[in-house]
Amino acid sequence: MNKFDPASKVQNLLQFGEFGDVNPSITDSATYTFMQGKTMSDTFKGETEGCFLYSRHWNPSNKYLSDAMAAMEGTEAGWVTASGMSAITNALMHCLNAGDHVISSMTTYGGTFAFLSNWMKKYNVEVTFVNITNLESVRKAMRPNTKVIYTETVTNPLLQVSDIPELSKIAKSGGARLIVDNTFTPMIVSPARLGADVVVYSMTKFVNGKNDCVAGAICGSNDFIASLIDVNTGTSMLLGPVLDPMRSSSILKNLHTLHIRMQQHGRNAMYLAERFKEIGLKFNYPGMKEHPGHELLKSMMNDGYGFGGMIAIDLGTAERANRVMEIMEQKGVGYLAVSLGYFKTLFSNSGKSTSSEIPEDIQQEMGMSEGLIRFSVGLDNDIERSFRLIAETLEEVGG
């Protein structure tokens, strides 16, 4: 395991409000005044430290959160966006030109798959989807025009584990960038410290943890973030996916409890996984020794944050999965809802919801059962009670 401590990196930031507030002040302004015309010109060029011009470019609230996300990731800089998808798409588009090639994990969030498979065709960008756990298939997919290898640390929803150090070596050998979506494993894994060039997040999920907003983040080098927000050529600057400062402020406060929440998510998920094993339920959890990526994940993990709060449960058919989820909701296990990382347990049938953009034949190719439930374990205080309710539900539905 690694000794990097992302929680302490966040805790050590000294971010005060303008009147000494313990919480940084929220900037409720779209534009900012200057006493001198030259200062405005220099700020527009990005040459004036600490000055703000217009909130699409920077505002203090978003800068505080961006700095905190960069500290957590161990990167030089960060940039926050209005959604996780805007973070993913902006990072990808900024690295690509017409005629370029991308290698992506076949198992990935449905919106990301649709963007790469469908939308990028308009710009003559080719994409090869591979089993990201098969490093030889990644090597074979490399081309002279490959500019990005894209993956998720732990893939959505099959929970495969990406070998970030080896993928980084493959990318660098061909002059490509490695972009890693770390949404499922904040604080657990720090991809940039393992060789990723860019790390993206849907902060909507675990980072914020309250399911009260959508937001994203991009973390990388000073040069990458500066180019991303360049007023003339920056993808994020020109497409404008700006996070509202009020939301930015609330996410920053929630970030300071992320380590506690990830620990509890992980403890609860591990308890359920061990009990699921006892009753013979078909499931997938990277914290279990039987998981094919267990040892790899252990080798990449930071100490003390557990193996994450996501479990993939296979109930065979969509009909059985739906019936189980409906009864679990009635019994109070959690909510039949998309998204994840909430303080309540959330569950959905991936193939018919968050992965529905992926064609059924490709779902089958990647090994996604039509009865797969993506199970985001909450912060339940009495997880044993939650297991009893799940077990009762499974008994009611039967084989």
Side-chain angles (χ1 to χ4, degrees), residues 283-328:
F283 73 96
N284 194 6
Y285 182 62
M288 300 295 282
K289 292 180 180 179
E290 298 85 357
H291 188 284
H294 176 75
E295 291 300 325
L296 172 60
L297 183 56
K298 280 178 65 177
S299 73
M300 299 191 296
M301 287 168 61
N302 298 312
D303 283 334
Y305 301 101
F307 288 90
M310 303 302 298
I311 303 177
I313 301 170
D314 185 0
L315 294 180
T317 66
E319 292 74 19
R320 187 164 184 253
N322 284 334
R323 186 65 186 133
V324 166
M325 291 189 294
E326 290 161 6
I327 297 174
M328 284 195 299

Side-chain angles (χ1 to χ4, degrees), residues 9 124 165 170 195 260 268 273 279 301 317 327-328 351 364 391 396:
K9 294 295 183 182
N124 194 29
I170 296 170
I260 301 169
N268 282 351
I279 64 173
M301 287 168 61
T317 66
I327 297 174
M328 284 195 299
Q364 292 169 7
E396 283 183 37

Side-chain angles (χ1 to χ4, degrees), residues 90-106:
N90 276 228
L92 281 164
M93 284 190 289
H94 196 65
C95 295
L96 297 167
N97 291 306
D100 286 344
H101 174 244
V102 178
I103 298 169
S104 173
S105 171
M106 183 182 296

Side-chain angles (χ1 to χ4, degrees), residues 160-359:
Q160 297 169 317
V161 178
S162 298
D163 190 333
I164 295 170
E166 288 302 314
L167 290 170
S168 174
K169 291 176 185 176
I170 296 170
K172 285 177 172 55
S173 71
R177 285 189 173 106
L178 175 62
I179 301 179
V180 178
D181 182 339
N182 201 42
T183 297
F184 276 21
T185 46
M187 293 195 169
I188 298 171
V189 178
S190 302
R193 292 179 57 81
L194 300 170
D197 297 287
V198 181
V199 182
V200 294
Y201 274 98
S202 171
M203 295 193 296
T204 312
K205 315 303 193 299
F206 288 108
V207 170
N208 184 49
K210 307 297 171 59
N211 253 286
D212 55 4
C213 70
V214 291
I218 305 170
C219 298
S221 68
N222 282 325
D223 287 346
F224 182 80
I225 298 301
S227 68
L228 190 71
I229 59 174
D230 181 274
V231 293
N232 294 305
T233 59
T235 302
S236 288
M237 180 57 54
L238 299 174
L239 295 183
V242 181
L243 180 60
D244 180 80
M246 296 287 287
R247 288 305 187 189
S248 194
S249 176
S250 68
I251 295 168
L252 178 61
K253 288 191 276 283
N254 291 337
L255 188 62
H256 284 269
T257 64
L258 178 59
H259 61 294
I260 301 169
R261 292 185 280 113
M262 292 311 297
Q263 289 162 357
Q264 184 69 4
H265 284 299
R267 279 192 293 266
N268 282 351
M270 181 62 83
Y271 178 88
L272 289 180
E274 289 171 345
R275 297 302 301 271
F276 290 164
K277 181 180 177 181
E278 289 176 8
I279 64 173
L281 183 63
K282 189 176 182 181
F283 73 96
N284 194 6
Y285 182 62
M288 300 295 282
K289 292 180 180 179
E290 298 85 357
H291 188 284
H294 176 75
E295 291 300 325
L296 172 60
L297 183 56
K298 280 178 65 177
S299 73
M300 299 191 296
M301 287 168 61
N302 298 312
D303 283 334
Y305 301 101
F307 288 90
M310 303 302 298
I311 303 177
I313 301 170
D314 185 0
L315 294 180
T317 66
E319 292 74 19
R320 187 164 184 253
N322 284 334
R323 186 65 186 133
V324 166
M325 291 189 294
E326 290 161 6
I327 297 174
M328 284 195 299
E329 184 169 58
Q330 293 163 10
K331 287 180 177 291
V333 174
Y335 298 142
L336 201 176
V338 298
S339 201
L340 55 107
Y342 189 40
F343 48 76
K344 296 278 284 186
T345 294
L346 301 177
F347 33 83
S348 59
N349 179 214
S350 294
K352 306 300 181 185
S353 57
T354 53
S355 296
S356 59
E357 298 96 334
I358 302 172

Side-chain angles (χ1 to χ4, degrees), residues 45-65:
K45 296 173 188 174
E47 296 173 356
T48 308
E49 185 72 26
C51 289
F52 297 89
L53 179 79
Y54 184 65
S55 279
R56 177 165 57 84
H57 184 260
W58 264 127
N59 66 61
S61 296
N62 287 4
K63 185 72 164 64
Y64 283 127
L65 179 56

